[in-house]
Amino acid sequence: MFVKNKQILIIEDDQRIAETISKGLQEQGMTTQVAYDGKIGAKYALSGQFDLILLDLNLPQLNGYQVAEIVRKENTEVPILMLTALGETEDKVEGFEKGADDYLVKPFDFRELLVRIKSLLRRSKSAQEEENHIVELANLKVDFDAKLVFREDQPIQLTPKEFGLLEYLVKNQGKVVSKAEIAEAIWDQNASQSLNVIEVYINFLRKKIDKDFEPKVIHTKSGMGYVMRVE
């Protein structure tokens, strides 16, 4: 879900390739901007509005190495994925040294490109959340430092144990966690000792953050445990 509405800058001088990539990403719910030379691409990149940059290496005006170097002087956070026909180790090393986060050699399958993009966006999102200590899932917002929880901007009052359970689920969002894992992380006990307690607290949490709101974010996976995600 996190790829929706992401702003992707494509710096690629081959119009056919650029348009194919742009169309494919838009079909995934992303917004794209294309630059056909390095000078314009660098200008767009420095605007700071993009979540990820796809950067060709052989470009007119400024090459990909130069563009990456310019961008990294101003923005150390935005992921840069280099796209190039140059696949030698030396080329890759130089790309990484100039600030690229990943490297994909042409010709490539769009499915692989999409996987690489999602991986970089996920990594970037995790780093940002770790820095800010604030996580948002749909209309649920959790501030780990201030110990505050909001749903649709409404403050939700949780007990320390409820907040600990929510924090664990949020930090493992998308992953099914078993009662044994929850028991060890939150209650420091094995599952057999705290099985009923976990079910009770899951119900407490659901009543407070899910019952009166949409979409639901806490889901039970029968025989496996619980997962926090938007379905």
Side-chain angles (χ1 to χ4, degrees), residues 140-208:
L140 171 69
K141 181 178 180 180
V142 183
D143 185 328
F144 296 131
D145 287 343
K147 306 297 183 186
L148 296 175
V149 179
F150 300 88
R151 195 78 202 259
E152 292 182 353
D153 294 325
Q154 298 181 35
I156 307 293
Q157 299 299 321
L158 299 181
T159 67
K161 190 63 74 175
E162 289 168 349
F163 186 88
L165 176 57
L166 176 63
E167 182 177 12
Y168 182 76
L169 292 173
V170 167
K171 288 185 175 180
N172 287 279
Q173 62 179 279
K175 172 187 173 184
V176 177
V177 290
S178 67
K179 291 178 182 177
E181 290 173 309
I182 295 172
E184 184 177 352
I186 309 300
W187 275 269
D188 297 320
Q189 298 175 5
N190 63 48
S192 62
Q193 292 175 307
S194 52
L195 181 95
N196 292 333
V197 175
I198 293 170
E199 292 177 355
V200 168
Y201 270 86
I202 287 288
N203 286 332
F204 285 163
L205 209 51
R206 277 187 166 135
K207 286 179 182 178
K208 290 185 176 183

Side-chain angles (χ1 to χ4, degrees), residues 1-6 28-31 114 117-118 121:
M1 294 293 293
F2 60 85
V3 301
K4 299 290 185 182
N5 301 316
K6 292 297 183 181
Q28 294 293 317
M30 300 180 226
T31 301
L114 188 59
I117 289 173
K118 287 182 177 179
L121 289 173

Side-chain angles (χ1 to χ4, degrees), residues 96-108:
F96 289 128
E97 287 179 345
K98 297 299 184 183
D101 296 280
D102 201 357
Y103 203 107
L104 191 56
V105 178
K106 299 176 182 177
F108 52 81

Side-chain angles (χ1 to χ4, degrees), residues 121-137:
L121 289 173
R122 188 180 297 112
R123 219 182 302 164
S124 176
K125 178 174 180 287
S126 298
Q128 183 180 20
E129 288 173 351
E130 188 174 315
E131 180 182 347
N132 296 334
H133 303 286
I134 295 175
V135 173
E136 295 187 42
L137 179 64

Side-chain angles (χ1 to χ4, degrees), residues 25-141:
L25 296 183
Q26 288 173 14
E27 288 174 351
Q28 294 293 317
M30 300 180 226
T31 301
T32 61
Q33 173 73 57
V34 177
Y36 295 105
D37 70 61
K39 189 173 182 180
I40 294 176
K43 181 181 178 180
Y44 286 163
L46 292 177
S47 71
Q49 71 185 71
F50 297 99
D51 298 294
L52 183 140
I53 298 171
L54 297 178
L55 178 59
D56 186 30
L57 190 52
N58 292 321
L59 293 164
Q61 303 294 330
L62 297 172
N63 66 39
Y65 296 139
Q66 292 172 308
V67 173
E69 200 167 25
I70 290 169
V71 173
R72 282 293 176 245
K73 286 180 181 179
E74 300 292 330
N75 188 335
T76 60
E77 303 299 327
V78 62
I80 297 176
L81 172 54
M82 278 194 171
L83 307 174
T84 177
L86 302 176
E88 297 297 325
T89 300
E90 292 77 9
D91 301 315
K92 294 180 181 179
V93 169
E94 184 171 359
F96 289 128
E97 287 179 345
K98 297 299 184 183
D101 296 280
D102 201 357
Y103 203 107
L104 191 56
V105 178
K106 299 176 182 177
F108 52 81
D109 189 300
F110 179 78
R111 291 171 297 179
E112 182 179 1
L113 172 63
L114 188 59
V115 167
R116 300 284 189 97
I117 289 173
K118 287 182 177 179
S119 177
L120 288 174
L121 289 173
R122 188 180 297 112
R123 219 182 302 164
S124 176
K125 178 174 180 287
S126 298
Q128 183 180 20
E129 288 173 351
E130 188 174 315
E131 180 182 347
N132 296 334
H133 303 286
I134 295 175
V135 173
E136 295 187 42
L137 179 64
N139 50 27
L140 171 69
K141 181 178 180 180

